Amino acid sequence: MDTDRFWTVIESARAGGPDGKPGDKPFDEALVDLLAALSKEDILEFQTRFDEIHDAVYRWDVWAAAYLIGGGCSDDSFMDFRAGLIALGREWYERTAADPDSLAEHPAVIEAAADGGYEALFYEEVNYVASTAFERVAAVGEDFYEEWKRHRCAQGESGDGGLGAGAEADMGEDFDFDDGEEMSRRLPRLAALCLNELVA
């Protein structure tokens, strides 16, 4: 499964999954349905692409955006935020990768800032869609994580790493998320939208 096919699957789930009825199911459930219709190897390949795309935004500037939007953001929460970026689809993901401050224009972020909510774009369940789909179609005794290790080894990668670890990522320049002036300099639109809530 190449990157284009990965995003085609994501967009199909955003459009409502196999039935093509947006809103009938949450995005993660529609995505699981789509993946469960594929082969087990395709599901493992989906996880490979997911990890690559998830890890590509394991950066301080994206984390700072998550920190502003979420009113704080732990390492675990940042995993959920990056999964949420993928759930937004390719256009918003690529916009965010190029300029995290552009999330100030996303309707869900604007709405969350207005009502004081902090859940916008954090989507934990998306991290587990491949394992859920695999378990749905697996034979008795087959385990997703064991198969994932086998798949990684077959691809010439270490089989002992966690999914989406991002351990070798170049995160860019670190900076203090609690420094309002620095956040305003680096992410001016998001800071203007969210910072008052963050420091209130």
Side-chain angles (χ1 to χ4, degrees):
M1 179 178 292
D2 63 14
T3 300
D4 287 339
R5 188 177 176 206
F6 173 90
W7 284 115
T8 296
V9 173
I10 293 293
E11 296 300 342
S12 295
R14 287 175 51 77
D19 298 328
K21 298 176 182 175
D24 281 0
K25 286 187 174 182
F27 168 80
D28 61 294
E29 293 180 17
L31 184 51
V32 168
D33 288 346
L34 284 166
L35 292 175
L38 303 177
S39 70
K40 287 179 282 189
E41 283 298 315
D42 276 341
I43 295 171
L44 295 171
E45 278 297 309
F46 176 91
Q47 184 68 56
T48 298
R49 298 288 85 75
F50 181 90
D51 284 353
E52 290 172 357
I53 291 165
H54 194 259
D55 288 352
V57 286
Y58 188 72
R59 302 186 336 227
W60 292 117
D61 57 348
V62 178
W63 201 333
Y67 194 90
L68 286 169
I69 292 167
C73 184
S74 67
D75 187 50
D76 285 346
S77 293
F78 189 41
M79 286 182 62
D80 301 342
F81 183 82
R82 288 178 286 142
L85 291 180
I86 292 170
L88 293 179
R90 188 171 197 166
E91 180 181 352
W92 270 105
Y93 173 89
E94 291 181 348
R95 282 184 66 180
T96 303
D99 177 18
D101 200 33
S102 68
L103 284 170
E105 300 170 17
H106 194 280
V109 175
I110 295 168
E111 181 180 349
D115 66 17
Y118 296 115
E119 297 301 313
L121 310 192
F122 292 80
Y123 205 153
E124 179 181 6
E125 292 81 2
V126 177
N127 289 307
Y128 309 111
V129 291
S131 61
T132 302
F134 189 92
E135 289 163 9
R136 186 183 293 181
V137 301
V140 174
E142 281 186 309
D143 177 77
F144 173 76
Y145 295 99
E146 287 301 315
E147 288 300 308
W148 175 245
K149 288 179 186 178
R150 177 199 59 75
H151 181 77
R152 285 174 59 88
C153 289
Q155 301 298 315
E157 300 176 23
S158 169
D160 57 3
L163 298 179
E168 299 179 7
D170 177 4
M171 294 183 67
E173 183 184 357
D174 190 4
F175 56 97
D176 184 359
F177 296 169
D178 291 317
D179 183 334
E181 289 185 5
E182 184 71 4
M183 293 288 263
S184 293
R185 183 177 72 80
R186 292 177 183 264
L187 300 164
R189 290 174 289 168
L190 272 175
L193 190 65
C194 305
L195 195 55
N196 288 338
E197 286 292 333
L198 185 63
V199 299

